[in-house]
């Protein structure tokens, strides 16, 4: 027979309640952006992103300031990526050609913030709060 002290039983009950409460909380809807592919071009590198607006409101225009770093960690350039309209719950692919950039030299992309995030009923931080950044490439994406 296994005996449990009242203190252990109370600790277990409290831990179970906290875990249950955390599991029941709905995840915050967010905007997710995935660097999906890099395509070398004669004139530069094409960066393909998959964006999904998980919020309940459409984003009529989202423009992000991004910093591109080379493989040695040095800043290569600052860019503005205009993702245009991102309807709620619908995936969108956006491609940006970066002139004079070799895809193999790109090491990291930092999403520095949103210079524009427009849409009816959107909070000013709707494009940055809960921003989920991922990659399917060997280039790190951070924000």
């Amino acid at each position: 027979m296994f005996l449990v002290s009242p203190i252990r039983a109370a600790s277990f009950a409290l831990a179970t309640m906290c875990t249950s409460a955390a599991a029941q909380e709905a995840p915050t809807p967010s905007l997710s952006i995935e660097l999906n592919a890099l395509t070398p071009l004669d004139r530069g590198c094409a960066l393909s992103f998959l964006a999904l607006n998980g919020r309940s409101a459409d984003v009529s225009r989202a423009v992000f300031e991004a910093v591109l770093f080379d493989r040695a960690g040095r800043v290569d350039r600052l860019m503005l990526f205009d993702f245009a309209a991102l309807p709620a719950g619908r995936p969108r692919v956006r491609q940006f050609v970066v002139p004079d950039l070799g895809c193999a030299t790109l090491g990291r992309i930092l999403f520095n913030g949103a210079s524009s995030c427009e849409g009816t009923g959107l909070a000013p931080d709707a494009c940055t709060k809960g921003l989920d950044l991922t990659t399917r490439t060997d280039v790190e994406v951070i924000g």
Side-chain angles (χ1 to χ4, degrees), residues 37 63 91:
V63 180

Side-chain angles (χ1 to χ4, degrees), residues 76-98:
D76 179 82
R77 66 190 83 192
L78 277 77
M79 306 274 311
L80 290 177
F81 291 146
D82 188 346
F83 279 78
L86 298 172
R90 308 261 324 260
R92 291 290 182 255
V93 173
R94 301 291 187 245
Q95 190 173 71
F96 305 98
V97 175
V98 182

Side-chain angles (χ1 to χ4, degrees), residues 57-68:
D58 292 343
V59 175
S60 57
R61 184 165 186 231
V63 180
F64 291 93
E65 179 183 290
V67 184
L68 308 184

Side-chain angles (χ1 to χ4, degrees), residues 28-138:
T28 303
S30 67
L31 180 62
S32 63
I33 299 176
E34 170 191 275
L35 176 59
N36 187 271
L38 301 173
T39 307
L41 304 171
D42 289 337
R43 62 186 192 277
C45 180
L47 285 65
S48 298
F49 292 93
L50 174 63
L52 178 62
N53 176 4
R55 302 206 180 278
S56 58
D58 292 343
V59 175
S60 57
R61 184 165 186 231
V63 180
F64 291 93
E65 179 183 290
V67 184
L68 308 184
F69 294 85
D70 64 18
R71 295 254 175 219
R74 292 181 300 259
V75 172
D76 179 82
R77 66 190 83 192
L78 277 77
M79 306 274 311
L80 290 177
F81 291 146
D82 188 346
F83 279 78
L86 298 172
R90 308 261 324 260
R92 291 290 182 255
V93 173
R94 301 291 187 245
Q95 190 173 71
F96 305 98
V97 175
V98 182
D100 303 319
L101 176 71
C103 292
T105 66
L106 185 60
R108 176 185 298 163
I109 300 172
L110 166 65
F111 276 73
N112 220 18
S115 67
S116 178
C117 184
E118 302 168 10
T120 304
L122 290 180
D125 62 352
C127 291
T128 54
K129 186 176 182 182
L131 181 62
D132 181 32
L133 299 168
T134 59
T135 184
R136 289 188 183 264
T137 72
D138 62 347

